[in-house]
Amino acid sequence: MTSVTVGGIDCGTNSIRLMVATYDGDGFTVDVPRIMRVVRLGQGIDETHRFAADALERTYAACREFADVLREHPVDALRFVATSATRDAENREDFENTVESILGVRPDVIPGTEEARLSFLGATSVVDQLSNGHARAPYLVVDLGGGSTEVVLGGEGEHAGEVDAAYSMNVGSVRMTERHLVSDPPTEEQIGQASADIDAHIDTAFATVPAGRARTIIGVSGTVTTMTGLAQGLATYDRDAVDGAVVRIDDACATDDRILRMTRAERAQYPVIHPGRIDVIGGGALVWTRVLRRVQQAAADEGHAIDSYIASEHGLLDGIVRDLAVRTFAGRRAA
């Protein structure tokens, strides 16, 4: 066998994505670039611990769309990865059964540690291309999702994708918005409560992940890339402009704070923000600011400075596809 074609689906709290790629043992060719749909699967789940009926229907509609794409682009293997929202849902078996009936593959509900590993693999797979190869190890990859945020340190070993430490925090754009930022715009008291909640999770995470050792921060996920586009002053979202962009932390935090304090109607005036993110992007912006400032402080405590981050369009979905392709290729060759 000279190559394998695989599909990966990343089903998160806020969005679901599909990618299809071919691997020949030397490199990857993307056959179907990322298709993303905002489905808000995690709607209300922080409070109810159950999937809402309308959230499930939105997700099933996206799955049916993906099934049509996969019929046009047959794959040797398909992996459907479900993350934070599904981990928390008491009625997840119904969801898993329906997804399997649509796509022919059962959702793989992975723990936060596996999510962190795959996000790191995806982000660092193109690290030499990011910022013209100027990124320095060790890397701290931050995958800021709707329900959880993974922080992963690594890249110092023989392979760039080697993880030294990882932690998954139960904070994200949807979770923080629904838990704390309930006013429009949020009040100072709500912002303070959300910040304290986020900081407590970061304390726990950094007890496991020595973030101060990082020399480069790589931010992935829709929140990070959206806020990067806003910090760049883009009129509309431009994937090529965002991917690999180096952004000063001070500029990012100023943008985060401005977006956080806007009303929903004010945020809707920015075409950079996907319509499905408008009501939760403030919560994500606050998480991003708190993480960036805490990493900055941790680095300073270790005697060096970090004043910027690199934005990447390559994260969990890339990691899912790359991991599956390599394993499938090796299995076929061994057979």
Side-chain angles (χ1 to χ4, degrees), residues 1 327-335:
M1 168 166 288
R327 289 190 290 107
T328 303
F329 186 82
R332 292 292 178 86
R333 293 194 69 175

Side-chain angles (χ1 to χ4, degrees), residues 140 206 211-212 217 248-250 253 289-308:
L140 184 75
F206 284 10
I217 303 170
R248 287 181 51 81
I249 291 176
D250 286 350
C253 292
T289 284
R290 299 311 306 156
V291 171
L292 287 173
R293 289 304 192 196
R294 292 292 299 275
V295 176
Q296 244 189 342
Q297 183 59 57
D301 291 344
E302 293 290 328
H304 65 273
I306 293 182
D307 61 6
S308 63

Side-chain angles (χ1 to χ4, degrees), residues 130-131 134-135 216-220 224 244-247 288 308-312:
L130 296 175
S131 187
H134 292 157
T216 303
I217 303 170
I218 303 175
V220 302
V224 172
V246 179
V247 180
W288 188 221
S308 63
Y309 71 88
I310 299 174
S312 176

